[in-house]
Amino acid sequence: MQLPQPLVEGRLVRRYQRFLADVELADGRLVTAHTPNTGSMQQCAEPGLPVLLSHSDNPKRKLEWSWELVQVNGYWVDINTHRANRVVEEALRAGSIPGLDGYSVRPEFPYGQSRIDFLLERGDERVLLEVKNVTLCCEAQLACFPDAVTLRGQKHLRELMQAKQEGWRAVILFLVQRGEAESFAPADSIDPVYGQLLREASACGVEILPCQTAISPGESRICGQLLVRL
């Protein structure tokens, strides 16, 4: 997935009111950027971190700047949650995710009380695939999700378990944006209910697939899979 170009360097001053961030650009200007991330952004919103912004000339936009990447522990992290599904969809269509290759891809499939991110189909086989964006490490080299209590995420796990009981193949893909991560686990200290539900989902056959991204100022792509620690 190609990132918006050109990206402009800066330093984070503060993130506030959920969708706003003040950034000092390399030329000394202080700008306010839209933050396309509804999570707590623990570890990714520390003042002083290097960031990359995109710029828009659209006069209908309230803010001309958007926060795209932040550098944490020497790795670029994509904080734009709207891009996560597009990165996964690109990889699905290219057949570059082992075990999920060779399927037709349909985004935003209604199931139960939710809209699951993707329906994959191949012959008579149908797969429900939900994607979660991961930007937090709970321990060194251990990526974890969520970074805040997520009732919506809990509901998605219950929907996937129901689908599995009804004979579907059900997969939850954690898109890990932390380059230093070597494994993945639920963030029990943040949302213990989600952690318990994830273990229940695994036990009933829902597949847990943590996929790591390789991120540069030019692109974001899936580069491999991580170990699961439940």
Side-chain angles (χ1 to χ4, degrees), residues 7-210:
L7 294 181
V8 178
E9 297 179 1
R11 292 271 175 182
L12 181 65
V13 176
R14 61 169 180 152
R15 183 221 185 182
Y16 58 103
Q17 295 180 14
R18 200 177 190 185
F19 295 111
L20 301 177
D22 289 341
V23 174
E24 183 181 3
L25 302 183
D27 62 10
R29 284 182 294 159
L30 186 66
V31 301
T32 300
H34 172 64
T35 303
N37 191 309
T38 60
S40 72
M41 290 182 61
Q42 290 187 48
Q43 301 172 355
C44 294
E46 298 295 326
L49 288 177
V51 300
L52 291 175
L53 307 181
S54 61
H55 183 267
S56 173
D57 294 321
N58 185 347
K60 295 182 179 180
R61 282 189 46 151
K62 184 176 180 180
L63 296 172
E64 58 187 291
W65 296 94
S66 293
W67 182 3
E68 304 289 350
L69 305 182
V70 61
Q71 194 172 62
V72 181
N73 295 335
Y75 294 92
W76 288 112
V77 179
D78 189 346
I79 61 92
N80 189 334
T81 56
H82 304 300
R83 192 157 38 236
N85 280 22
R86 288 185 287 159
V87 170
V88 172
E89 183 174 357
E90 183 179 87
L92 289 170
R93 295 190 184 280
S96 57
I97 304 178
L100 297 179
D101 53 313
Y103 292 89
S104 64
V105 180
R106 176 180 167 185
E108 295 292 319
F109 180 72
Y111 177 83
Q113 301 300 310
S114 300
R115 295 189 72 85
I116 301 300
D117 288 320
F118 295 101
L119 168 67
L120 309 181
E121 294 182 289
R122 182 174 59 195
D124 295 331
E125 185 182 6
R126 300 201 299 173
V127 183
L128 289 180
L129 173 66
E130 180 65 18
V131 176
K132 297 300 179 188
N133 196 56
V134 181
T135 61
L136 177 67
C137 282
C138 292
E139 301 173 12
Q141 301 175 327
L142 177 65
C144 57
F145 181 88
D147 66 0
V149 174
T150 172
L151 299 180
R152 183 169 178 266
Q154 294 171 18
K155 183 177 78 167
H156 287 156
L157 285 176
R158 293 187 178 99
E159 299 279 22
L160 290 176
M161 284 190 277
Q162 180 63 35
K164 183 63 182 177
Q165 292 169 2
E166 293 175 359
W168 294 71
R169 182 182 172 194
V171 182
I172 183 162
L173 188 154
F174 292 97
L175 192 67
V176 178
Q177 309 280 13
R178 297 292 294 267
E180 72 269 44
E182 296 180 355
S183 56
F184 168 84
D188 293 313
S189 62
I190 295 174
D191 190 343
V193 174
Y194 189 89
Q196 181 59 36
L197 284 171
L198 188 63
R199 293 176 178 89
E200 291 177 11
S202 178
C204 81
V206 175
E207 299 168 48
I208 302 173
L209 185 61

